[in-house]
Amino acid sequence: MRDRIRYVILGGVMLGLASLSAFAQDTLTLEQSIKLALKQNLEVQQSQIRTQNQAINLRQAKNNLLPDLNARLGHSFEVGRAIDPETNQYLNNVTNRYGNQSVSSSVVLFDGLRMFHDITQQAYAYRATQLDEQYAKEQIALNVTRAYIQALAARDVVAQADSLAAVMRRQVERSTLLFNQGASNPGDYYDLKGQYASDLNNLNEARNQYNEALVSLFQLINLPFDPETKLASFQELPLTTTDTLTDEQLYQAAADRLGILKAAENWKKQAKFGLKAARSSYFPSLSMGAGLSSSYIHGNGAYVDQVRDRIGQNLGFTLSIPILNRFQVRNNVARAKLDLLDAENNAQTRRNELQQAASQALFNLDAAKERYKNLMDQVENYAESFRIAEVRFNAGAINSVDYLFAKNKLDNATANLVIARYQWHLRQRIVEYYHGELVLPQTD
């Protein structure tokens, strides 16, 4: 029985370790990366904090319409010469203990609609911060997409560099055998060894660039770096769903679906009502107050009876008319006008930048597709040229210079083709972002 329990415990531990190992080896997809960034990225968290803070400002603006209610309880001790709280006469050598209690409330009846303008202003500010938060998430998703694709490109460059180094290693091994037998040109032999060393350096540099790209991705996700992370590959070429879009169509789609322009428009409306709220201070304000008060004197009877018998009631109205207040209202209005002008300029700047970015995105996409197609033809031609050069070099018809020249042309074209394919992926996804097709995954 004890051995059975031991086996059950051991089996549970092994299953737990296996699940942890499987989790650690999971392939990180682009969607998972974006989801993690939306949950972990500090910029997104800060935008959420600003939204929550503005929600509190809006709630407080609404609560300012409510009356206030305050209670006061006081107790005093007097020794020596003092005023009798009942007769209001001075007494000598007395020891008094007395107290007072009051409850008061006041409410603003009219303030030039300042509080109503402030509520509307805070409502637009709250909506603007929500849209700024959406825009921050969209930008993080786009940045993660860019970093993820750059990491994929760097990974494939490493694989390409490793393959090229393996080809050269086999050529060096073959040349070494011939050189040891005296059947190889020493110049060709050392040229090949030198090229192999260069290929190893290129492989090392490619690995370093991949590591840097992976670190950049983890920085956006805001998680500890794991060099063993595997990335899910993309399909060979991106799906072209936006080929027929014009610059104006892409701009309109971005303006309608992204948060950047909507946020700017709400900030402009917020500034307009800020100006109205500032101008409201030119008007008189009317408030009403009411209260109950009572008191007691030690030695004049029971506490409860005194408080009940001495209750007083009051009701009052206060009209405040601004006449001269060191030009504070005028200066506040002037600042509000500048805030509105700044919001209008910012909205116009965002519109221009979005229009320019949309046009540039389409231009970059067309250029990326054209570059990829040209490089495909180049690689095919250089591959055939290198095949012929390799056959001739192995037959002794050409020297190492001609052979390495053909090889380097093919290597560079192949590496450029790998990068161009991922550039096409990136440019396509940037256009999809402006077209509103970048769907943000739901976070837990």
Side-chain angles (χ1 to χ4, degrees), residues 202-353:
N202 292 337
L203 175 59
N204 183 64
E205 179 64 22
R207 287 171 176 167
N208 184 59
Q209 291 180 357
Y210 171 61
N211 186 74
E212 291 178 354
L214 204 58
V215 168
S216 298
L217 177 61
F218 273 86
Q219 286 175 341
L220 288 172
I221 298 176
N222 194 27
L223 287 177
F225 175 61
D226 181 8
E228 302 301 324
T229 299
K230 298 179 177 61
L231 303 180
S233 300
F234 288 166
Q235 60 188 10
E236 181 65 21
L237 293 177
L239 297 176
T240 55
T241 59
T242 55
D243 284 346
T244 60
L245 282 177
T246 64
D247 295 359
E248 183 61 26
Q249 289 173 335
L250 186 60
Y251 166 71
Q252 288 299 331
D256 294 339
R257 302 179 187 183
L258 300 182
I260 177 172
L261 293 191
K262 296 178 182 179
E265 288 300 319
N266 277 272
W267 282 121
K268 189 168 68 174
K269 293 176 181 178
Q270 180 264 353
K272 287 182 179 179
F273 279 91
L275 177 58
K276 291 183 179 181
R279 285 173 172 166
S280 299
S281 298
Y282 283 127
F283 294 90
S285 62
L286 178 64
S287 60
M288 179 184 70
L292 298 174
S293 63
S294 184
S295 63
Y296 83 98
I297 301 175
H298 181 69
N300 286 9
Y303 174 82
V304 176
D305 294 337
Q306 290 191 61
V307 170
R308 183 178 62 248
D309 295 339
R310 297 170 184 267
I311 289 179
Q313 304 174 7
N314 65 81
L315 176 66
F317 295 86
T318 301
L319 179 65
S320 178
I321 303 174
I323 298 176
L324 181 64
N325 50 19
R326 303 181 185 89
F327 300 102
Q328 290 181 356
V329 176
R330 178 182 296 181
N331 291 330
N332 289 339
V333 170
R335 279 192 288 266
K337 289 181 179 179
L338 293 176
D339 290 340
L340 176 57
L341 179 61
D342 183 64
E344 290 173 343
N345 291 338
N346 183 59
Q348 183 60 46
T349 299
R350 285 194 177 188
R351 282 192 292 270
N352 293 339
E353 291 176 347

Side-chain angles (χ1 to χ4, degrees), residues 367-380:
K369 289 190 290 186
E370 187 65 24
R371 174 177 170 78
Y372 179 82
K373 293 175 182 178
N374 293 336
L375 284 172
M376 280 288 294
D377 293 338
Q378 187 182 60
V379 168
E380 290 179 5

Side-chain angles (χ1 to χ4, degrees), residues 14-304:
M14 294 300 294
L15 287 175
L17 291 176
S19 64
L20 287 175
S21 176
F23 176 79
Q25 295 177 359
D26 279 348
T27 299
L28 183 64
T29 66
L30 175 58
E31 183 178 354
Q32 290 172 339
S33 301
I34 295 176
K35 187 174 182 179
L36 288 170
L38 293 178
K39 185 178 181 180
Q40 300 287 137
N41 186 269
L42 291 181
E43 293 182 12
V44 173
Q45 292 178 2
Q46 289 172 350
S47 67
Q48 293 171 340
I49 291 173
R50 286 190 292 268
T51 300
Q52 294 169 6
N53 184 65
Q54 190 55 49
I56 296 174
N57 292 341
L58 175 58
R59 184 167 68 245
Q60 183 59 59
K62 293 178 179 179
N63 292 341
N64 288 340
L65 295 174
L66 301 175
D68 62 3
L69 180 63
N70 300 286
R72 180 177 177 275
L73 179 64
H75 193 86
S76 302
F77 299 88
E78 292 184 346
V79 179
R81 184 177 175 82
I83 296 178
D84 190 323
E86 285 194 315
T87 64
N88 206 30
Q89 300 293 322
Y90 278 102
L91 300 176
N92 295 317
N93 300 323
V94 297
T95 301
N96 282 340
R97 286 184 292 170
Y98 61 90
N100 53 70
Q101 306 83 29
S102 64
V103 177
S104 62
S105 177
S106 64
V107 62
V108 176
L109 301 178
F110 178 77
D111 63 349
L113 302 180
R114 183 187 60 80
M115 288 191 292
F116 288 100
H117 292 325
D118 185 52
I119 291 174
T120 308
Q121 177 189 10
Q122 298 303 327
Y124 278 120
Y126 176 52
R127 180 55 181 159
T129 53
Q130 286 180 313
L131 291 166
D132 280 338
E133 179 183 338
Q134 175 190 334
Y135 178 56
K137 291 179 178 179
E138 292 166 348
Q139 284 293 294
I140 288 300
L142 183 60
N143 292 338
V144 169
T145 300
R146 180 181 289 107
Y148 190 94
I149 292 177
Q150 289 174 346
L152 281 180
R155 183 199 65 183
D156 285 6
V157 168
V158 170
Q160 182 67 26
D162 187 52
S163 176
L164 295 176
V167 171
M168 183 52 61
R169 183 181 67 252
R170 289 192 295 269
Q171 190 63 260
V172 169
E173 291 172 351
R174 173 183 174 279
S175 182
T176 300
L177 293 176
L178 296 176
F179 179 77
N180 291 335
Q181 297 172 2
S184 174
N185 184 350
D188 292 343
Y189 171 66
Y190 290 112
D191 276 346
L192 293 178
K193 291 190 66 176
Q195 181 62 45
Y196 179 54
S198 178
D199 287 351
L200 292 178
N201 281 334
N202 292 337
L203 175 59
N204 183 64
E205 179 64 22
R207 287 171 176 167
N208 184 59
Q209 291 180 357
Y210 171 61
N211 186 74
E212 291 178 354
L214 204 58
V215 168
S216 298
L217 177 61
F218 273 86
Q219 286 175 341
L220 288 172
I221 298 176
N222 194 27
L223 287 177
F225 175 61
D226 181 8
E228 302 301 324
T229 299
K230 298 179 177 61
L231 303 180
S233 300
F234 288 166
Q235 60 188 10
E236 181 65 21
L237 293 177
L239 297 176
T240 55
T241 59
T242 55
D243 284 346
T244 60
L245 282 177
T246 64
D247 295 359
E248 183 61 26
Q249 289 173 335
L250 186 60
Y251 166 71
Q252 288 299 331
D256 294 339
R257 302 179 187 183
L258 300 182
I260 177 172
L261 293 191
K262 296 178 182 179
E265 288 300 319
N266 277 272
W267 282 121
K268 189 168 68 174
K269 293 176 181 178
Q270 180 264 353
K272 287 182 179 179
F273 279 91
L275 177 58
K276 291 183 179 181
R279 285 173 172 166
S280 299
S281 298
Y282 283 127
F283 294 90
S285 62
L286 178 64
S287 60
M288 179 184 70
L292 298 174
S293 63
S294 184
S295 63
Y296 83 98
I297 301 175
H298 181 69
N300 286 9
Y303 174 82
V304 176

Side-chain angles (χ1 to χ4, degrees), residues 397-414:
I398 61 173
N399 58 26
S400 60
V401 175
D402 296 330
Y403 169 77
L404 294 178
F405 181 72
K407 176 183 180 300
N408 288 332
K409 287 195 300 182
L410 176 60
D411 293 350
N412 292 333
T414 305

